[in-house]
Amino acid sequence: MDKLEQLRSHNASPIIGVSRNPAKPLVLELDNTGLSWPSIGTKQRKNETDAQKQERMDKIAEAVKVIVEQLGEDPSREGMLKTPMRYAKALMFFTKGYEESLKDVVNEAVFEEDADEMVIVKDIDVFSLCEHHLVPFTGKVSIGYIPNGRVIGLSKLARIAEMFSRRLQVQERLTKQIAVVLNEVLKPQGVAVTMEASHMCMCMRGVQKPGSSTITSCMLGEFRDNPRTRDEYLKLTRG
């Protein structure tokens, strides 16, 4: 069987290639400690001792030193001497969202309230690392929901966005994770999340198009089903 036939046998486009993981609806994964969509090493990282954390950073720093050497630089010169450990610490901060628990982030800040009108927090700054190139993408996310008898502390919307952005991410998944979590926590009439970001993997390399931005959205419930509700949200967040 030639390659084209193999592709066809997997019901895949010869242009796109073989998809071994067909898309599935994103469902909230939550373990008993409140970790949401925990990665393979999340629990180990979250529960390790100070000595184990230092060992982890030492390993990262050694790996960075190798990278610096292979780039043709001298890791022993004054300006580079502490760079491997600086970068190790920075990476741990950039990805601190892996260690954060949804339970701790929400912290019981969900309240019974006779409210059924749209709630929006817009232009929340987010910073993340593209999982394909490990370079930053930054932008703003707006989050809206229509309560169904329960509301959440406004700062928690920003904290949820922060938790998921501080991971290795793609913008499409980040947008949807925020929406799915809020939908699960509040059981509202609807949730809307929109994000606009600039990706350094497009600006600094590849097509090299600085000034370009990527917009993603995830609409659930009334925002997906009712065009007037969706239009109202979009009008309010773009203003």
Side-chain angles (χ1 to χ4, degrees):
M1 182 182 293
D2 62 25
K3 188 170 183 179
L4 182 57
E5 289 176 337
Q6 288 176 342
L7 289 168
R8 286 171 176 164
S9 70
H10 283 82
N11 296 319
S13 162
I15 296 175
I16 299 172
V18 178
S19 174
R20 300 192 182 279
N21 295 297
K24 297 179 181 178
L26 190 64
V27 177
L28 176 61
E29 295 178 19
L30 199 67
D31 74 0
N32 55 11
T33 65
L35 291 171
S36 46
W37 289 287
S39 185
I40 190 168
T42 296
K43 289 183 181 179
Q44 179 182 348
R45 175 173 164 176
K46 181 177 175 62
N47 298 324
E48 62 192 4
T49 64
D50 289 342
Q52 290 170 328
K53 287 181 180 179
Q54 186 60 52
E55 182 182 0
R56 179 185 295 271
M57 286 199 295
D58 288 341
K59 288 181 179 179
I60 296 173
E62 282 300 314
V64 173
K65 184 177 178 181
V66 172
I67 292 172
V68 169
E69 289 174 334
Q70 294 307 307
L71 291 175
E73 254 294 354
D74 177 9
S76 65
R77 70 176 176 86
E78 183 181 17
M80 297 292 299
L81 197 58
K82 296 184 179 180
T83 296
M85 184 53 72
R86 288 192 195 103
Y87 191 58
K89 291 178 180 178
L91 276 179
M92 292 296 287
F93 180 80
F94 295 157
T95 60
K96 67 185 180 72
Y98 285 120
E99 302 178 42
E100 294 178 344
S101 159
L102 180 63
K103 180 180 178 181
D104 292 339
V105 168
V106 174
N107 195 26
E108 300 182 354
V110 175
F111 311 101
E112 301 293 326
E113 192 66 45
D114 182 21
D116 58 5
E117 296 293 334
M118 197 178 301
V119 178
I120 297 174
V121 176
K122 59 182 285 189
D123 294 338
I124 301 166
D125 288 313
V126 290
F127 307 88
S128 194
L129 287 178
C130 163
E131 68 180 35
H132 300 142
H133 300 98
L134 299 187
V135 294
F137 66 93
T138 66
K140 294 182 182 293
V141 62
S142 295
I143 305 172
Y145 71 97
I146 302 174
N148 190 22
R150 297 200 299 175
V151 298
I152 189 170
L154 297 177
S155 69
K156 303 305 179 182
L157 300 178
R159 290 185 182 277
I160 289 171
E162 171 80 359
M163 178 178 68
F164 288 120
S165 66
R166 293 297 187 179
R167 303 180 178 191
L168 303 183
Q169 277 285 14
V170 295
Q171 184 175 330
E172 297 89 338
R173 182 172 66 238
L174 171 56
T175 306
K176 199 162 190 176
Q177 284 180 330
I178 296 168
V180 168
V181 158
L182 191 58
N183 197 51
E184 286 293 321
V185 168
L186 288 180
K187 306 295 184 186
Q189 298 178 58
V191 175
V193 178
T194 48
M195 180 176 177
E196 182 170 2
S198 177
H199 292 248
M200 293 301 102
C201 58
M202 282 187 63
C203 299
M204 297 175 65
R205 58 161 298 283
V207 294
Q208 300 180 65
K209 298 300 180 186
S212 64
S213 63
T214 300
I215 300 173
T216 50
S217 69
C218 181
M219 307 286 175
L220 302 175
E222 275 294 302
F223 292 98
R224 177 184 286 268
D225 299 336
N226 190 327
R228 293 182 62 184
T229 303
R230 182 167 61 250
D231 289 346
E232 180 184 353
Y233 166 82
L234 294 172
K235 181 178 179 181
L236 290 171
T237 54
R238 288 171 180 167

